Amino acid sequence: MKRLIVIFVIILLASCTGQKKLMNKWVGSPKENLISEWGMPSKTVEVEPGGEILVFAQEVNFRHSSANVGSTSGGQMGSVTQNNIEVKKWQYTLFLVDPEGIIYHLTQKFYSISPEKINFQLSQKKEEKK
């Protein structure tokens, strides 16, 4: 059993590493190459001076299972109720593009908010006063 768990963990880590390498291939690429392969982004956020953030969103469904065990008056185990809950989330992939149109960073996050409702606000760090 322990061997099976170790093998599962190794496969999981290898797939995450492979996914990361696959995504990082975009760093240094022109945004046109990304758009030709992925299609138009869900949103584009303009960033000063001349850069932009390309936002791609994909709906993902997660299924969570839980079991509730009831008890009887005699202290014995009663009925078991299994709950399957499906949760909708959105996987956002954000590509940061410099003024020359080259991707220099990307990140992936999950949020419960759909692309129509999400609002990306950028704020600048305030310089410390001396």
Side-chain angles (χ1 to χ4, degrees):
M1 183 66 177
K2 286 183 182 181
R3 202 177 225 169
L4 182 62
I5 292 172
V6 170
I7 291 171
F8 176 73
V9 169
I10 290 171
I11 291 171
L12 182 65
L13 290 174
S15 67
C16 291
T17 303
Q19 175 70 14
K20 191 171 186 175
K21 284 182 181 178
L22 182 65
M23 292 302 294
N24 282 336
K25 80 173 189 172
W26 293 110
V27 174
S29 299
K31 72 176 186 178
E32 290 80 14
N33 292 0
L34 174 71
I35 292 171
S36 69
E37 192 166 319
W38 283 41
M40 293 302 292
S42 303
K43 285 190 180 239
T44 301
V45 181
E46 299 295 322
V47 182
E48 295 292 329
E52 60 188 343
I53 300 172
L54 304 178
V55 180
F56 291 86
Q58 177 180 359
E59 189 175 4
V60 181
N61 294 319
F62 293 97
R63 186 174 301 277
H64 298 279
S65 297
S66 64
N68 296 323
V69 179
S71 61
T72 62
S73 59
Q76 296 179 349
M77 187 171 80
S79 63
V80 176
T81 305
Q82 178 138 2
N83 298 320
N84 286 319
I85 301 168
E86 188 168 287
V87 178
K88 287 185 179 182
K89 294 218 176 206
W90 290 87
Q91 178 182 12
Y92 287 91
T93 307
L94 287 73
F95 293 89
L96 281 62
V97 181
D98 68 16
E100 289 79 34
I102 303 298
I103 298 166
Y104 66 91
H105 183 75
L106 67 96
T107 187
Q108 288 185 319
K109 301 283 182 188
F110 287 92
Y111 295 105
S112 301
I113 302 171
S114 68
E116 298 83 32
K117 295 180 181 176
I118 199 162
N119 184 13
F120 291 96
Q121 293 182 351
L122 304 174
S123 61
Q124 294 179 342
K125 289 184 179 180
K126 295 181 181 179
E127 292 184 32
E128 290 183 31
K129 294 183 180 180
K130 294 183 180 181

